[in-house]
C-alpha cells in the first residue's frame, strides 16, 4: 500500500512538519490538521488509511476525536502524546486507538509503527477474502475449527483460558489491548483481582508459544496491556499466499 493516505493531527508546527516530511520522504501521502475542528472536518470528508493523533490539542481533547471517529470509521489511529501517564494511554486504547507513542519520539520508531500498522491493514484485507479457519503469524498457526495451535508445525497444548487469550490477541493482531478489555472478553464476571491471574496465564501462554520459535509474539505494555505483534512474513510465505 504505497499510496496509503495518512492524516497528521498535531498543533505544534515543528512536530507537524517533522512528521509530515518524514511521511512524504517515505512515500506516504498525508494531510495535516493543526486542531480538532479541522481534523474532524477532514476525517468526515476524506478517506484515510491511518491517523496519527496528538491528544493535547488547543480546541479539543484528542480522546474526543477518537470517540467521534470511532462512530463511523475503523481506520487505525496511532496516538502520539506527551502524556506518559498509563491511565491516558488506557483511555485512548479503550476508546479505540490502536497504538501509542510517547513524546519525545524517534522518527524511525514512528515510521516503524506506521509500516507495521499498514502491513496489518493489508493483512486483514487479505484475510477477509480467505477462509477464516486459520490464523497464521510467522511460525504460529491457529486452527479455529479444531481449536488447535501449532508453532513450527508442532502442536502446542494450551489450557482453554490460554487458548481464549491467544485467540483474542490474534483477532486483534497489531493492537494494544488493555488489561480491562482482555478481562472483560476472556474472564466471565471479571473483578479487579483477576489482573494477577491474567498475568499468570499470559506468562504461561507466552512460554508455550515462544519456546519452539525465536519469535516474540506477545508484547507487554507495562501498566497498560498486551499486543500480539504481526511478524513480517518471509518471502516464501508471501509467495504461498499469492
Ligand atoms: Ca499538542
Amino acid at each position: 500500500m504505497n499510496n496509503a493516505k495518512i492524516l497528521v493531527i498535531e498543533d505544534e508546527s515543528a512536530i507537524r512538519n517533522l512528521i509530515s516530511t518524514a511521511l512524504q520522504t517515505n512515500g506516504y501521502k498525508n494531510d495535516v490538521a493543526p486542531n480538532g475542528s479541522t481534523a474532524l472536518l477532514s476525517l468526515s470528508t476524506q478517506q484515510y488509511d491511518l491517523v496519527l493523533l496528538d491528544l493535547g490539542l488547543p480546541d479539543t481533547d484528542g480522546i474526543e476525536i477518537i470517540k467521534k471517529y470511532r462512530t463511523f470509521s475503523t481506520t487505525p489511529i496511532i496516538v502520539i502524546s506527551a502524556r506518559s501517564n498509563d491511565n491516558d494511554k488506557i483511555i485512548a486504547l479503550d476508546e479505540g486507538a490502536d497504538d501509542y507513542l510517547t513524546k519525545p519520539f524517534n522518527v524511525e520508531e514512528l515510521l516503524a509503527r506506521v509500516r507495521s500498522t499498514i502491513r496489518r491493514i493489508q493483512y486483514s484485507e487479505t484475510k477477509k477474502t480467505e477462509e477464516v479457519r486459520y490464523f497464521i503469524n510467522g511460525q504460529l498457526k491457529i486452527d479455529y475449527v479444531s481449536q488447535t495451535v501449532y508453532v513450527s508445525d508442532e502442536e502446542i497444548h494450551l489450557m482453554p483460558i490460554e487458548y481464549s487469550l491467544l485467540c483474542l490477541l490474534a483477532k486483534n493482531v497489531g493492537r494494544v489491548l488493555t488489561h480491562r478489555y482482555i478481562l472483560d472478553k476472556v474472564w466471565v464476571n471479571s473483578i479487579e483481582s483477576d489482573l494477577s491471574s491474567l498475568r499468570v496465564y499470559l506468562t504461561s501462554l507466552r512460554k508455550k508459544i515462544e519456546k519452539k520459535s525465536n519469535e516474540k509474539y506477545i508484547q507487554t505494555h507495562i501498566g497498560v496491556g498486551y499486543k500480539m505483534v504481526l511478524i513480517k512474513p518471509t518471502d516464501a510465505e508471501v509467495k504461498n499466499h499469492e
Side-chain angles (χ1 to χ4, degrees):
M1 203 193 281
N2 284 331
N3 50 359
K5 196 171 164 193
I6 302 174
L7 179 66
V8 181
I9 307 171
E10 168 65 67
D11 59 321
E12 284 170 68
S13 58
I15 301 178
R16 197 169 61 232
N17 294 340
L18 172 77
I19 297 175
S20 179
T21 307
L23 292 175
Q24 238 160 343
T25 314
N26 285 273
Y28 301 109
K29 284 188 275 182
N30 65 90
D31 288 344
V32 293
N35 54 50
S37 53
T38 313
L40 284 170
L41 183 65
S42 298
L43 291 173
S44 50
T45 53
Q46 305 278 320
Q47 188 68 46
Y48 293 101
D49 299 299
L50 174 63
V51 175
L52 302 180
L53 170 69
D54 175 28
L55 292 184
L57 296 169
D59 58 341
T60 324
D61 189 308
I63 300 287
E64 294 305 315
I65 295 182
I66 301 175
K67 281 187 193 165
K68 290 197 177 114
Y69 194 41
R70 279 292 172 259
T71 62
F72 62 90
S73 175
T74 56
T75 294
I77 301 171
I78 301 177
V79 163
I80 304 174
S81 173
R83 300 179 193 172
S84 55
N85 189 321
D86 285 343
N87 207 39
D88 289 320
K89 291 174 191 165
I90 292 168
I91 293 169
L93 294 166
D94 278 341
E95 290 299 342
D98 294 72
D99 205 345
Y100 60 85
L101 201 57
T102 307
K103 286 179 185 170
F105 61 89
N106 174 313
V107 174
E108 286 310 314
E109 171 68 17
L110 172 66
L111 289 168
R113 300 286 179 97
V114 168
R115 276 194 299 274
S116 86
T117 306
I118 286 173
R119 208 159 65 220
R120 178 167 63 82
I121 310 168
Q122 290 171 317
Y123 176 85
S124 37
E125 275 169 7
T126 325
K127 291 293 137 192
K128 268 182 214 156
T129 58
E130 280 177 18
E131 278 281 341
V132 288
R133 175 168 184 177
Y134 299 107
F135 169 84
I136 298 169
N137 185 16
Q139 296 296 314
L140 171 71
K141 178 174 169 181
I142 305 172
D143 180 337
Y144 291 122
V145 174
S146 65
Q147 305 202 341
T148 320
V149 176
Y150 303 88
V151 176
S152 308
D153 295 323
E154 205 172 309
E155 190 176 340
I156 306 294
H157 297 280
L158 299 181
M159 283 185 277
I161 200 155
E162 293 167 344
Y163 178 75
S164 305
L165 264 175
L166 181 66
C167 291
L168 182 67
L169 289 162
K171 286 192 171 131
N172 292 281
V173 65
R175 286 193 61 188
V176 181
L177 303 181
T178 63
H179 296 134
R180 168 89 351 243
Y181 182 86
I182 298 171
L183 287 172
D184 285 347
K185 296 279 180 193
V186 177
W187 268 252
V188 182
N189 303 323
S190 72
I191 47 168
E192 210 54 47
S193 62
D194 288 334
L195 183 55
S196 55
S197 51
L198 169 58
R199 289 208 181 95
V200 172
Y201 286 116
L202 210 291
T203 304
S204 123
L205 168 65
R206 180 185 271 147
K207 256 189 216 152
K208 290 179 184 180
I209 63 168
E210 292 180 355
K211 190 173 64 180
K212 303 269 181 221
S213 155
N214 295 324
E215 305 287 8
K216 295 272 171 256
Y217 294 102
I218 304 173
Q219 233 174 41
T220 299
H221 290 246
I222 295 165
V224 177
Y226 300 96
K227 168 165 105 173
M228 180 179 286
V229 181
L230 184 60
I231 309 288
K232 200 171 181 183
T234 63
D235 291 344
E237 284 171 322
V238 172
K239 285 208 181 76
N240 281 336
H241 281 290
E242 276 168 4

